[in-house]
Amino acid sequence: MEHPAAPAAPHNPAETRLTITSPEQMRELGRRLAKLLRAGDLVMLSGELGAGKTTLTRGLGEGLGVRGAVTSPTFVIARVHPSLGGGPPLVHVDAYRLGGGLDEMEDLDLDVSLPDSVIVVEWGEGKVEELTDDRLQVVIHRAVGDTTDEVRHVTVTGLGERWSTAGLETLAA
């Protein structure tokens, strides 16, 4: 007697969890992550103020070999860092002060920039997911309150087919 086929398992996102204990380790994580990125990639960063989102992006910029110091784009909303060596430019967006979804971000032309750039959006939840089904979500947890604790717990989740075999597990090496 033939057994019925088992239902197909839903596609589970690729996920890696790391513990980071210093700002330099956060930058190094960015440099390692940059090796996995290519033009067309969207990276969404979330975490408390001071969690290390911009520090991680600094490491991404170093790893991608882009021009200019990567600093928080809070007041200018977005900065473009061109490549120094023929790779994709880095578009660094801080959506903290933007209230709505993608409609409010239309002036940034992220949909136009995405195919040719690596776009990193801080505070992008609920605002940029419509750009692509393939995206990388990086959530940084840290102790809150009056603390000098440098420990960060980072969860990197790859969503979509692009990230199903991208090797996120190499980030923990």
Side-chain angles (χ1 to χ4, degrees):
M1 181 169 170
E2 221 172 293
H3 295 286
H11 174 69
N12 291 327
E15 184 175 281
T16 298
R17 295 174 185 263
L18 306 112
T19 299
I20 304 295
T21 60
S22 70
E24 181 49 44
Q25 284 185 357
M26 188 67 77
R27 280 176 83 157
E28 178 57 29
L29 174 59
R31 289 189 287 269
R32 288 194 319 262
L33 181 56
K35 293 176 183 177
L36 301 176
L37 296 175
R38 63 185 187 210
D41 285 340
L42 172 65
V43 181
M44 293 173 46
L45 304 178
S46 62
E48 299 287 329
L49 287 170
K53 296 178 296 297
T54 300
T55 301
L56 177 71
T57 306
R58 239 178 240 124
L60 286 172
E62 292 167 7
L64 291 171
V66 299
R67 184 178 70 214
V70 175
T71 59
S72 178
T74 299
F75 297 105
V76 295
I77 309 299
R79 284 195 170 95
V80 177
H81 298 274
S83 173
L84 292 172
L90 172 65
V91 178
H92 184 198
V93 179
D94 186 331
Y96 183 76
R97 295 184 308 135
L98 302 176
L102 192 57
D103 291 342
E104 276 193 36
M105 298 186 74
E106 236 175 52
D107 289 342
L108 299 177
D109 286 332
L110 294 180
D111 54 337
V112 173
S113 301
L114 184 58
D116 301 319
S117 306
V118 169
I119 297 181
V120 176
V121 182
E122 297 184 27
W123 307 97
E125 302 80 17
K127 299 173 184 167
V128 297
E129 289 92 339
E130 297 171 26
L131 285 173
T132 179
D133 290 333
D134 295 314
R135 62 186 175 275
L136 199 59
Q137 293 182 328
V138 180
V139 179
I140 305 170
H141 294 282
R142 70 169 183 91
V144 293
D146 187 18
T147 180
T148 58
D149 189 357
E150 293 286 339
V151 175
R152 306 294 192 259
H153 299 283
V154 181
T155 304
V156 182
T157 306
L159 300 169
E161 192 166 329
R162 154 76 175 103
W163 294 103
S164 63
T165 59
L168 291 180
E169 66 279 356
T170 63
L171 297 175

